[in-house]
Amino acid sequence: MTRQFSPTNNGAASRKPETSSPEYQPNPERRTRSAVEKLRILQDYDAAPAGSPQRGALLRREGIYTSQISKWRKLRDRGLLGALAPQRRGPKAAPRDSLQDELEQLRRENARLQARLTRAEAIIEVQKKVSLLLGSER
């Protein structure tokens, strides 16, 4: 490959691939397998004799590695079949605390009642002033 120098890239070699396809290439989606599929693959893998080419063919056909087989096997042996279900990526949502929910509700209600009290006190003050101006006493 020859280096092409140009003033636009400050003398650095161009890193653009020479053959770029104009076709749209979507990003491959992450494959998720259900617990049933994982158990089926485990059974097929365990059914083949150790070191046989059927095991390698199964791994290639399913697009998995032996590390996944051993991880699924450990989960199955521990009785964590639910752990074989596909997991969502990213941070897990924190469980809701009922005390925090109740505290937030009470704070909102307190703020609402404080605003209502302030309005009521203002109305009472106005009524007192009007009563004094009109000269009617009770």
Side-chain angles (χ1 to χ4, degrees):
M1 179 173 167
T2 62
R3 292 186 141 194
Q4 298 175 356
F5 297 100
S6 70
T8 58
N9 61 7
N10 296 329
S14 172
R15 296 210 182 262
K16 184 177 179 184
E18 295 179 15
T19 57
S20 61
S21 174
E23 295 182 24
Y24 172 70
Q25 299 290 329
N27 290 337
E29 291 188 21
R30 187 177 192 89
R31 174 80 192 257
T32 57
R33 300 178 192 278
S34 67
V36 174
E37 286 180 284
K38 291 175 184 179
L39 288 174
R40 179 193 54 81
I41 293 170
L42 273 175
Q43 287 174 347
D44 292 347
Y45 188 82
D46 290 338
S52 71
Q54 288 96 358
R55 283 188 168 187
L58 174 71
L59 295 175
R60 284 189 298 277
R61 183 176 66 240
E62 297 294 337
I64 59 175
Y65 297 100
T66 55
S67 61
Q68 289 172 303
I69 292 287
S70 58
K71 188 185 307 181
W72 295 346
R73 191 179 285 143
K74 286 177 187 176
L75 290 172
R76 181 195 62 193
D77 293 345
R78 279 192 241 145
L80 301 173
L81 294 178
L84 290 178
Q87 302 292 319
R88 292 195 67 185
R89 296 178 71 191
K92 306 299 181 245
R96 298 291 296 175
D97 185 15
S98 62
L99 291 177
Q100 288 295 333
D101 291 343
E102 184 179 359
L103 178 64
E104 183 61 33
Q105 178 188 0
L106 291 173
R107 284 183 177 162
R108 282 193 309 263
E109 184 178 357
N110 190 9
R112 180 181 59 82
L113 291 174
Q114 288 290 338
R116 191 170 174 190
L117 176 63
T118 304
R119 282 193 304 265
E121 287 174 344
I123 290 171
I124 291 172
E125 286 296 317
V126 169
Q127 287 176 346
K128 285 181 184 178
K129 290 179 183 179
V130 168
S131 175
L132 286 175
L133 286 175
L134 295 176
S136 64
E137 293 183 27
R138 291 192 178 198

